[in-house]
Amino acid sequence: MGNPQDLSGMTTEERTAYWNYAIAKANELWGDKWALAINSLERRTQCHMHIHIGRLSAGAEDERFVAVNGAAEIPLPRDGDGLWVHSVGAKLHAHWGNDAPELLLEH
């Protein structure tokens, strides 16, 4: 894998493992109120890709999402856009359209 700067630099298996690890840690820290966020390429403040783990802020949910069954179905961010993911029952909502979705998380 090396040091990819975005999720598209990973294989499908690597991305799934990356998301699964982050989801497991988020569940450990926040139970079912967790959210994960990857900022857009332009809004990253570190020199490497990383996932922010936090509690989903009240009112953060919007209509720009796709519902998926698990980590393997989380889509790639659109054209360097930010991406944030959270659980809703047995599904995950993967949201787009926010350059700095880490700001939607409580830490």
Side-chain angles (χ1 to χ4, degrees), residues 12-107:
T12 301
E13 294 78 18
E14 290 169 338
R15 280 192 307 274
T16 299
Y18 192 59
W19 282 117
N20 277 326
Y21 178 81
I23 290 167
K25 187 63 177 178
N27 271 312
E28 177 186 319
L29 295 170
W30 300 104
D32 65 354
K33 302 296 184 201
W34 60 266
L36 305 171
I38 297 177
N39 290 340
S40 71
L41 294 174
E42 291 181 6
R43 292 294 300 264
R44 290 201 190 134
T45 58
Q46 297 181 16
C47 62
H48 60 278
M49 182 187 60
H50 56 282
I51 295 177
H52 295 267
I53 299 173
R55 181 182 179 94
L56 182 63
S57 296
E61 178 82 8
D62 63 29
E63 297 175 2
R64 297 173 297 182
F65 71 88
V66 61
V68 298
N69 293 311
E73 295 181 11
I74 297 172
L76 289 170
R78 299 174 175 193
D79 299 324
D81 194 8
L83 178 71
W84 61 284
V85 177
H86 64 99
S87 66
V88 178
K91 299 269 188 186
L92 301 175
H93 284 186
H95 292 259
W96 63 87
N98 187 320
D99 283 344
E102 76 170 293
L103 301 176
L104 301 174
L105 309 182
E106 298 174 12
H107 293 68

